[in-house]
Every structure is written in structure tokens, then in C-alpha cells.
Amino acid sequence: MPPAALARLRSTKAFATENEFFQKLLSDLETESDPLIRTTKKEAIVEPGLIFVKRLIPLLKENASALPKCAEWLQKINKSVVPSNCMRACTSVVVEIRFNDSTNTEEKYAADVHYITTQEWALEFETLKRDIMDDLEDDALGDDQSIEAKTASDKLKLGKVRDLSTILGQTVMIRESTAKSFSQKINDIIGSTGEEDQAACWPFVQVVKVRLKAPILQNGLVLVDLPGQGDYNVARARVSESYIRKLNHIWVVAKIDRAVDESITRNLLGSNFKRQLLMEDKYNNDFLAFIATHIDNVDYNNVIQQQQGKDKLLTDVLNKQKQQKLALADCAKQRRALQNGLKKVNADIKSIKGLQGDVPSQTLHGKRKRNDMAEATDSINESSLHNPSSRLEIIQEQRKNMLEEKGTAVKREGELKANVETLRIQVMMECISARNRFVQNRLQHDFESGLTEYKQKVSQSRDDESPKVPVVTKDIRRCNLRTFCVSSMAYESLQKKKAWSKKPEAFPTLDSTQIPQLQNFAKQCTLARRERIASDLITQLGLMYVDIKASAESKNETHGLSEDQRVELLSLLIQKFKMHELAIQQLQNDTKSELHLCTDELLSTLAKAVSRAPGKAAKLCERMKSQKLPPHTWKAICARNGVYISSGKNQKRHNWQEYFASVVLVPFTAAWDESVNKTIPKVLQRHRANVLEEFSIYADDIKDTVELICNPEYKPLQGILEQVSLLKNEANIHLFDIRKLGWKHAQEISIETTRLAAIGLKPYTSKMSKETGKGVGKRMKDLLSDHIEKTSMYVNMDQNIRNILEKKKHELSHKLLETSMKASRKL
């Protein structure tokens, strides 16, 4: 809505107060279906809303009693922050990218590089040194260098970094005015070329925080590129985990050829990550998106061979191309026939002109010696010899017609060549589109299958004695995975302004690269949070206005109430409040009873999971031992307390902490998903509706009571009534936000359970990382089973999860009661 329209709306007689303006505007906005338009309008209201408040400053100077309330509201407004959404991809360094709000042109491109501390590097160095020493011991037995030792050696190649004291524990600031110079400096830090003369900084980097003046980041979007599967470092892992706990979205990024050849959505989302997403109710298309890159890198013949006959659009274009090529061949054949015919006709003309004496006899006799002249002479009948002028006219007319036909054929051939060339490009475009569609369908299938299979797994793990019942997939099929197949190279080529720059044939427009679609999606990722903040700000501004105005209007003003009226009014209001409080308390008790049933179900499942944990852990040990890991890899895992990513061609992530924690968490996840993600939100939704209904009843009771004792024009009553809808809106938002507590406690349970697994494994891994001698491989594996059999980690997990659930129950009850009564107390 333009500012002029806002001004006209505000100036209409229908709005008696500024607060009514806010209320009317909000009610109109809620009917807007497009979230982008709705959010943009709400954000546009905030600025004039602040102007409205500034107009009340003179009132503050006259009424000191309004100052404390004003300060309280302003503090609430200032606490509202822009949203941050994190997207996940893969590098070796944690890279955060956000908007650069600096006005200094020399700092257009900025980055803060945070290096790990000296203590963190000392621990990492000891682990890497142990990998190399273990390999030297194996090498004495004649083995080749292990992958673990090679990876450790590569990390210890410092290149130009000769003095680590200059970077460890430091934050290095990079400020540049051009993208080229900035890119060169930042790539030396977050990239690794493998060349010895390069500064191998990335093993020492904890996080890089980049700030750019990119328009897409202006609305609060924050991109975070997290380490992938190629490296594991304790310090970086800790930073990554802190980001993951705050993620609003995850983008899985991979080259499109990998998406074609592998089940990416299954492989990149590990079992533990799927479990965490399911517990936090984020295993859905609102949280996950997939980006397939390098779509310009395509083998067209291979795509045609695989997709012709399967992809209708590609098949149709190929058929059109085939038809046009056949038509072109026929047209070219016709043109060549006309050319040959014209040669014969020209020869006939020359022959006839020779008979008439137009051509020298010597030349004529020489011509007749040629085959074509002989053929031309044969075509001249006796009458032509007696009447050459008549025959010449006929042949010249034929020649004229043939020239016209040839011109038409040449033109048609040119058109067909243009069509064939156009279809060649269309085939290229359709090959890319066909592969994109194939990848999107494949990813969608893998996404749905992966979710179905994992839900099946946790459901069966919850109760091993129950028969295997297929998971109902009606909720899964609606999860349409957002997939973008993009080409940044084509996008950059199309954006070049220079006329001589080569444009990619298969990408005629920017939209064909799908980068603009991805940009729009990135903007949409911030809409929910932005709208939530804008709505809250508008509500706070409205309440602030009402408070200040009421304080200013009440200065030195008597309301004409006698002492008896005042006592009676106060008594009735207290009575109404107590009745309302009892009603809310009853709603609270009903809701608590339902929530306790959900908690009891969780505790029951937890007890079963813990009782079965030793047996399942023993089976897990047998599976781990059967993997036939070489001793140096097993020792490398132990050196890192069970968390290690092997390098090389067959790269694999090992996380024993997660493996042993999952023995309890997997069956517990099924109950959590059923109770916390499905049942409790319904309970809270009913509670929210009931509380808001009770609040409306309470507000009406106050209005009736005041009108009974006073009169309808009583000014404090007007102030109360102006707050009702604003307080109701505020209560609605805060009650809705309570559901997020489930996500918070899901993270707590996962973190705590994995922490206890790490503590439980520590005695074994510490001892095994130093184990040497003949038969060390078998000895380490056998001792793992013995250690897990004797560990008390599952008893500790049981107790700590119960403590978290108890805390969750009390926190939820307290939050419900506090939020349910907050608006009523204010009123």
C-alpha cells in the first residue's frame, strides 16, 4: 500500500483514533493470501507507526507518569531482531554470509576469519601425530601408507604459514573494495589447492563470517556453508552444531551428475540427521530443499539415448527435428535436380543458338563432342531443326519456370536450415530440461521413500514384539521436495553486458538457469519470521500508543466517581478477574492432564528402549566388528573418541557416539513424533482457542461492569476497550509460539544422549588409541563388546532424559499459565 493511500486511509472519519487505524489495517492485511504482499505491507506500516508514536513525545514531556511505560514498550520493540535463516552446503570451513550494512566504500567486501585456539590445535595436533605414528608402526610390518596418515600429513603441510602463533586464537579482518581482490584473499583461507607454496590456512580456521552488499541478503537472509564429509575437526564441529540448532532451512547442494547417479537425498541425510529432523518436526519440504548444480555440463547424446521415448517433451522435439531434417534433405535433393535440369536446358539453348549461327561452328562442333551436348542434341526433334526459333522460345520459358522453382527451393531450403538450427538448440534445451525433470522426480521419490523407510524403522524399533505394520504415507506424499536445477555459469554469461560475450545457446533467458527462481525462494525463506516480527511490532506500537495516550489524558482529570462508586467498581472488577482466573486455571488443568498423558507415553517408551538397549548395543558391536576396518582406521576412530571421517575414494563417516545413542533414541523418536509433533500441537491449539474465547468474555464483562457503575463515555473505559484486540492478538502470537518448546527439548535430548554416549565410550577409546602390538585389530574389536556390556551409559541416559522431560512438563505448564493470563492481567 503506497504512503499516500495510508495517509488517506488514516484521515478518513471512520478512524476516531490512531489505534483504530492500526486495528483496521491489520484486519485488512490478514485477508491477503500472498505472504510476500502481506509481509511487505506490514513492514511498510511499521515506519509510519513509529512516526505516530513520535508525535506523542510532547505528551511525555507533560506527563511524567507515561515515561516508564514508554520505556518498557520501546525496550520490547528494540528486542525484535531481523530473522536469520541458515542454508546447508558442503566445504571444509564454516562460512557465514550476511548483509554488509557498512557505508564505507573501502569495506564493500568484508570478512572476519576466526582461527582455532592454541589449545584446540594442540589437541588436533596430537591426534594427527598419533595417526602418523600408528602408520609408521604398521609400515614396519610392510604395509603401505594408510589414508589416515596421508590425510594427517596433508593437514600438517603449513605452506607459507610458518609461525602459527600469528594466527591461532586470532581474528583476522579482511576489508576490500573489489570482489576480485576479496575473492583472492578469502580463497587462500577457505580453499585448499594442494600446492606446497599455498598458505594452507583452512585446517586452523574455525569460522569465516563474510559480509556482502548482496540485495538478496537485505531482508535478513543469512547463508551458512557448513563442513561436508571431507573433514572432521572438533572446533569446527562445535561451531557447526551451534548453527544447526538454529537452522530454519537446509539446502542440500550437489552436482547434478551425482544426483543422477546416486540416491542423494538418502545418502546425504544420514540416519542420525533424519532422526533429529523427525524429532524436531522438520523432515518436510518446508525445511529441506535440494539444489542440483552444473546443469550446463551435459552429454546430449547420452541424455537422448536414455530419455527418448520416456520424456514426452524431449521425444516430441526430437520427432520434429527428424521431420525437418527429412524435409531439408528432400528440398536439397529437389534443388540439385533443378540445378542439373537447368544445365541441360542451358546446353539446349546454346545448341539451338549454334544452329542459328549465333555460336561459332568451331565452338559448336567442340561442344557436340561433349556428353551433355550430345544429350541436348538428342532432345531436339526434327521440327526443331526446321524451326529453331520456336524451339528456343519453348526452352527459354522452361528455363524461366525452372529458375523460379529453384529460387523457391533455395528459399525453402534456407527456411528449413533455420528450422533445423532452431530445433538443434531446442533439443539442447529440452535435453537439459528432461534431465532436470528426471533428477527432480528421482529426488522426490528418494525423499518420500527415505522418509517412509525411516518412519517404518523407528516405528518397528519402538516395539520389537509388534508385527511389522506399514507406515501410513498420506502425510508423506504431500511433501513435495523443492528442487532447483541451476547453472551459475550460464547465469553469469547472460548477465554480461558486453556485446562480444558469448551467450550460452541452451539457456536463452535468465529464468532458464533457475537462478532467479532460487533467489525468489531464498526471499520467501525469511517471510514467516519477517511477518511475525512486523505483526508483533505493530501490536507493540498500538499498545504503546494506547498506554501513553491514556496516561496523558488522565492528567489532572477527575472522572466524577464517588467513593462508593469507586469501591463498588473495584470490588466488581476484582470479582470478574477472579472468575476469569478460575476459568483459565480450569483450562490449564484440562490441558495439563492431556499433556501428562503424552509425557507418560514417552516415559513408557523410554523405559522399554533402555531395557532393550544392552542387547541392541551388543548387536551393534557385532555389526561394527564385521565391517572389516583396518587397524589404523579403527585406531583413528578411537583417537577421536568415536567420531571420524575416513578419506580417499571410499570416504565414510564414522560416529560411534551417535550409533550407541541411537539404540535408545531411535525407538524414542517414534513416540516423540506421535506425541510431541502430532498430539501436543492439537492440544495446544485447542487451549489457545479456549483461552482467547475466555479473554473475549472477560473483556466484555469488564465493559459491562464499568458501564453499569459509570457511563459509556467514561474515558478510562475507552482506553481499556482500545487495548482488547491488540492484547488478544499478542496473546495469540505468544500462545502459538509455545509449540517451539518441543523443538528445543528435542535438541536437548539428542545433545545430552550423544554426550553421555561419548562419556561412556571415552575409557575404551582412550585405551585403544594407544594399543599396539601383534593382533591389535582383533583385540580392539573384542574389547569393544566387553566394554559396552559393562557400561552404565544407558542407565544414565534414562535418568537424564527423564529429567529433561520433567523439566519440559513444568516449563510448558508454567509458560501456558503465564501466557494465558498475561493479556488479562494487562487489561
Side-chain angles (χ1 to χ4, degrees):
M1 187 178 293
L6 286 171
R8 286 196 303 272
L9 181 63
R10 181 180 172 271
S11 63
T12 57
K13 295 181 179 180
F15 297 98
T17 65
E18 308 284 3
N19 184 45
E20 288 181 44
F21 162 68
F22 280 120
Q23 292 179 40
K24 175 62 178 172
L25 215 48
L26 270 177
S27 63
D28 290 344
L29 286 175
E30 296 305 328
T31 61
E32 173 60 58
S33 59
D34 189 320
L36 178 60
I37 296 175
R38 190 172 62 244
T39 302
T40 304
K41 285 183 177 180
K42 286 185 178 180
E43 289 175 335
I45 294 171
V46 172
E47 185 175 353
L50 290 171
I51 294 173
F52 293 160
V53 173
K54 287 179 182 178
R55 290 175 181 170
L56 299 174
I57 291 177
L59 294 176
L60 299 179
K61 294 178 180 178
E62 298 174 7
N63 193 342
S65 64
L67 287 173
K69 290 185 178 181
C70 179
E72 179 186 347
W73 289 119
L74 288 175
Q75 186 179 17
K76 289 181 180 180
I77 291 172
N78 289 333
K79 284 183 178 178
S80 298
V81 295
V82 294
S84 63
N85 297 277
C86 306
M87 317 301 171
R88 188 173 189 226
C90 294
T91 53
S92 292
V93 176
V94 182
V95 181
E96 175 195 287
I97 306 174
R98 63 172 66 238
F99 185 70
N100 184 359
D101 53 8
S102 173
T103 56
N104 189 343
T105 56
E106 296 300 315
E107 298 180 358
K108 188 176 179 181
Y109 301 90
D112 295 334
V113 182
H114 300 263
Y115 288 94
I116 61 176
T117 64
T118 305
Q119 293 80 5
E120 289 169 338
W121 172 242
L123 292 173
E124 177 78 359
F125 179 79
E126 285 300 319
T127 303
L128 297 174
K129 183 179 76 172
R130 193 176 300 143
D131 287 342
I132 296 173
M133 296 301 293
D134 289 342
D135 183 70
L136 291 175
E137 180 184 336
D138 292 339
D139 191 47
L141 300 176
D143 294 340
D144 295 331
Q145 186 183 32
S146 68
I147 294 173
E148 290 73 26
K150 186 178 184 307
T151 302
S153 300
D154 290 341
K155 280 190 178 183
L156 293 174
K157 290 178 182 177
L158 303 182
K160 293 180 180 178
V161 185
R162 300 302 181 189
D163 186 3
L164 291 178
S165 64
T166 61
I167 61 172
L168 292 180
Q170 303 296 316
T171 298
V172 176
M173 294 184 292
I174 300 173
R175 303 290 186 270
E176 294 293 335
S177 59
T178 66
K180 185 176 180 181
S181 58
F182 179 77
S183 178
Q184 289 174 345
K185 288 189 176 182
I186 206 72
N187 281 336
D188 286 342
I189 295 171
I190 67 175
S192 176
T193 64
E195 298 176 10
E196 297 231 355
D197 61 341
Q198 294 296 319
C201 292
W202 69 265
F204 314 106
V205 176
Q206 187 179 61
V207 61
V208 178
K209 297 184 177 181
V210 178
R211 295 184 296 283
L212 305 173
K213 288 192 175 296
I216 198 171
L217 303 175
Q218 280 183 308
N219 289 322
L221 183 72
V222 178
L223 304 176
V224 181
D225 190 6
L226 299 181
Q229 298 184 0
D231 170 65
Y232 181 80
N233 172 277
V234 174
R236 281 193 291 275
R238 190 162 51 246
V239 174
S240 298
E241 288 167 2
S242 68
Y243 275 113
I244 288 174
R245 286 196 288 273
K246 297 182 290 185
L247 286 174
N248 289 337
H249 299 274
I250 284 184
W251 290 1
V252 181
V253 183
K255 290 183 179 180
I256 194 166
D257 53 357
R258 285 190 64 199
V260 173
D261 296 335
E262 303 172 14
S263 297
I264 289 292
T265 50
R266 295 189 187 190
N267 296 339
L268 288 188
L269 300 179
S271 181
N272 183 69
F273 195 57
K274 288 179 183 178
R275 179 196 54 72
Q276 188 62 35
L277 290 178
L278 194 57
M279 284 188 73
E280 295 181 34
D281 199 23
K282 293 179 178 179
Y283 201 155
N284 54 60
N285 59 326
D286 291 329
F287 186 71
L288 290 167
F290 190 93
I291 303 172
T293 63
H294 294 76
I295 63 172
D296 50 278
N297 184 14
V298 55
D299 184 340
Y300 295 105
N301 292 330
N302 185 43
V303 173
I304 291 171
Q305 183 180 357
Q306 292 184 358
Q307 296 299 316
Q308 189 172 11
K310 297 178 182 178
D311 189 283
K312 185 179 184 303
L313 294 176
L314 175 60
T315 303
D316 289 346
V317 174
L318 288 170
N319 289 337
K320 287 180 183 178
Q321 184 188 44
K322 183 179 179 180
Q323 292 170 3
Q324 291 293 300
K325 283 183 175 181
L326 290 173
L328 176 61
D330 291 340
C331 188
K333 184 178 179 180
Q334 181 186 4
R335 188 225 347 124
R336 287 193 296 268
L338 288 168
Q339 286 177 335
N340 293 332
L342 280 169
K343 287 180 181 179
K344 295 177 183 179
V345 168
N346 289 334
D348 285 349
I349 292 172
K350 289 179 182 178
S351 298
I352 295 172
K353 286 184 177 180
L355 292 174
Q356 293 176 333
D358 293 339
V359 181
S361 59
Q362 186 179 357
T363 305
L364 181 62
H365 291 304
K367 294 280 186 180
R368 285 179 178 175
K369 292 179 181 179
R370 299 176 187 173
N371 292 334
D372 59 344
M373 195 62 194
E375 293 174 4
T377 304
D378 293 339
S379 67
I380 302 174
N381 55 30
E382 292 296 325
S383 62
S384 299
L385 293 173
H386 295 292
N387 191 3
S389 298
S390 175
R391 177 59 182 165
L392 183 61
E393 291 178 1
I394 295 171
I395 293 178
Q396 286 178 336
E397 184 66 25
Q398 288 179 350
R399 183 175 181 273
K400 179 182 177 182
N401 293 336
M402 292 177 71
L403 283 172
E404 290 179 356
E405 290 180 19
K406 180 188 173 185
T408 303
V410 169
K411 182 180 179 182
R412 174 62 177 160
E413 187 177 12
E415 292 174 351
L416 288 170
K417 282 183 178 179
N419 290 345
V420 168
E421 176 61 18
T422 301
L423 284 167
R424 181 186 70 82
I425 296 174
Q426 285 184 9
V427 167
M428 293 170 60
M429 294 167 56
E430 208 52 58
C431 280
I432 292 172
S433 298
R435 186 174 65 164
N436 291 350
R437 287 190 291 270
F438 172 77
V439 169
Q440 288 169 335
N441 292 334
R442 175 80 171 268
L443 291 173
Q444 178 64 32
H445 175 268
D446 288 347
F447 178 72
E448 291 178 357
S449 299
L451 180 53
T452 303
E453 290 170 6
Y454 194 74
K455 284 199 170 187
Q456 184 76 57
K457 176 183 176 181
V458 297
S459 179
Q460 292 171 1
S461 178
R462 181 181 180 183
D463 191 352
D464 293 337
E465 299 174 1
S466 63
K468 294 183 179 182
V469 180
V471 174
V472 178
T473 58
K474 64 179 181 179
D475 294 332
I476 298 172
R477 292 197 183 101
R478 62 179 171 81
C479 296
N480 294 318
L481 180 66
R482 287 188 177 92
T483 307
F484 300 89
C485 300
V486 302
S487 171
S488 58
M489 183 176 293
Y491 182 80
E492 290 173 3
S493 298
L494 288 167
Q495 276 198 317
K496 289 180 180 177
K497 306 298 183 184
K498 298 176 182 178
W500 51 262
S501 61
K502 186 178 179 182
K503 303 299 181 183
E505 289 182 318
F507 297 91
T509 64
L510 288 174
D511 282 344
S512 62
T513 68
Q514 287 202 25
I515 295 290
Q517 294 90 318
L518 181 59
Q519 291 172 334
N520 290 333
F521 175 64
K523 293 175 183 177
Q524 291 172 11
C525 287
T526 65
L527 285 182
R529 179 72 172 158
R530 283 168 56 194
E531 183 178 5
R532 163 72 169 77
I533 290 172
S535 297
D536 196 41
L537 278 170
I538 292 171
T539 300
Q540 300 301 336
L541 285 168
L543 289 170
M544 179 180 177
Y545 169 80
V546 171
D547 268 356
I548 295 173
K549 190 181 76 167
S551 299
E553 289 177 345
S554 63
K555 182 184 179 183
N556 299 325
E557 183 176 325
T558 59
H559 301 296
L561 290 180
S562 66
E563 181 62 20
D564 291 341
Q565 285 179 313
R566 190 187 69 79
V567 171
E568 184 180 5
L569 177 60
L570 183 61
S571 174
L572 288 173
L573 289 176
I574 292 174
Q575 182 182 351
K576 295 294 182 183
F577 181 79
K578 287 183 177 180
M579 290 174 60
H580 174 68
E581 195 172 32
L582 288 173
I584 294 293
Q585 188 62 57
Q586 184 59 50
L587 290 176
Q588 176 83 359
N589 292 337
D590 294 341
T591 302
K592 281 175 65 175
S593 299
E594 294 185 77
L595 294 176
H596 286 171
L597 290 175
C598 295
T599 305
D600 292 342
E601 181 62 26
L602 290 173
L603 292 173
S604 174
T605 302
L606 176 63
K608 290 180 182 178
V610 170
S611 66
R612 295 168 182 161
K616 289 189 174 183
K619 292 179 181 178
L620 175 60
C621 287
E622 294 303 316
R623 288 197 298 273
M624 291 167 61
K625 288 157 63 175
S626 66
Q627 291 178 352
K628 298 181 180 179
L629 292 175
H632 45 71
T633 301
W634 194 279
K635 290 184 74 174
I637 297 172
C638 290
R640 295 159 178 81
N641 198 27
V643 182
Y644 177 64
I645 300 172
S646 61
S647 304
K649 184 177 180 181
N650 298 319
Q651 188 182 82
K652 186 176 179 182
R653 185 173 188 270
H654 305 272
N655 194 326
W656 292 357
Q657 297 174 14
E658 291 180 357
Y659 298 164
F660 287 102
S662 68
V663 169
V664 168
L665 286 178
V666 169
F668 185 73
T669 298
W672 184 276
D673 184 46
E674 188 66 35
S675 298
V676 179
N677 295 338
K678 294 178 181 176
T679 304
I680 289 182
K682 293 177 182 177
V683 173
L684 294 178
Q685 185 177 0
R686 287 196 299 270
H687 179 82
R688 178 161 54 105
N690 292 334
V691 166
L692 294 177
E693 185 180 354
E694 281 294 333
F695 179 76
S696 297
I697 295 172
Y698 175 57
D700 291 340
D701 284 347
I702 289 179
K703 176 177 178 292
D704 294 341
T705 301
V706 174
E707 287 181 345
L708 178 66
I709 303 299
C710 313
N711 62 71
E713 303 302 322
Y714 185 60
K715 284 192 174 181
L717 175 61
Q718 302 305 317
I720 290 172
L721 296 179
E722 286 175 350
Q723 293 189 53
V724 169
S725 62
L726 293 170
L727 288 172
K728 188 174 181 180
N729 184 56
E730 182 185 43
N732 183 45
I733 293 173
H734 292 164
L735 285 168
F736 183 77
D737 285 346
I738 292 177
R739 63 192 174 89
K740 296 179 182 178
L741 287 174
W743 305 344
K744 171 191 169 185
H745 292 110
Q747 291 177 350
E748 277 189 55
I749 289 171
S750 295
I751 293 169
E752 181 63 15
T753 308
T754 306
R755 185 186 72 84
L756 292 173
I759 293 173
L761 285 168
K762 189 66 177 176
Y764 167 80
T765 55
S766 297
K767 183 179 178 181
M768 292 303 102
S769 62
K770 302 172 185 176
E771 194 74 14
T772 59
K774 189 176 181 180
V776 64
K778 185 176 183 304
R779 191 161 61 252
M780 286 190 298
K781 293 178 180 180
D782 291 340
L783 288 174
L784 175 63
S785 298
D786 295 340
H787 174 77
I788 294 300
E789 185 179 351
K790 298 173 184 177
T791 185
S792 60
M793 75 166 89
Y794 294 116
V795 175
N796 296 334
M797 287 180 189
D798 179 46
Q799 185 57 52
N800 286 26
I801 292 176
R802 287 177 181 274
N803 291 340
I804 292 174
L805 291 176
E806 189 65 26
K807 184 178 75 171
K808 165 184 164 57
K809 185 169 67 175
H810 288 298
E811 187 176 349
L812 187 57
S813 297
H814 174 72
K815 194 76 175 176
L816 274 176
L817 184 59
E818 179 188 31
T819 308
S820 300
M821 289 300 299
K822 189 174 183 179
S824 305
R825 290 194 177 99
K826 283 184 179 180
L827 191 61

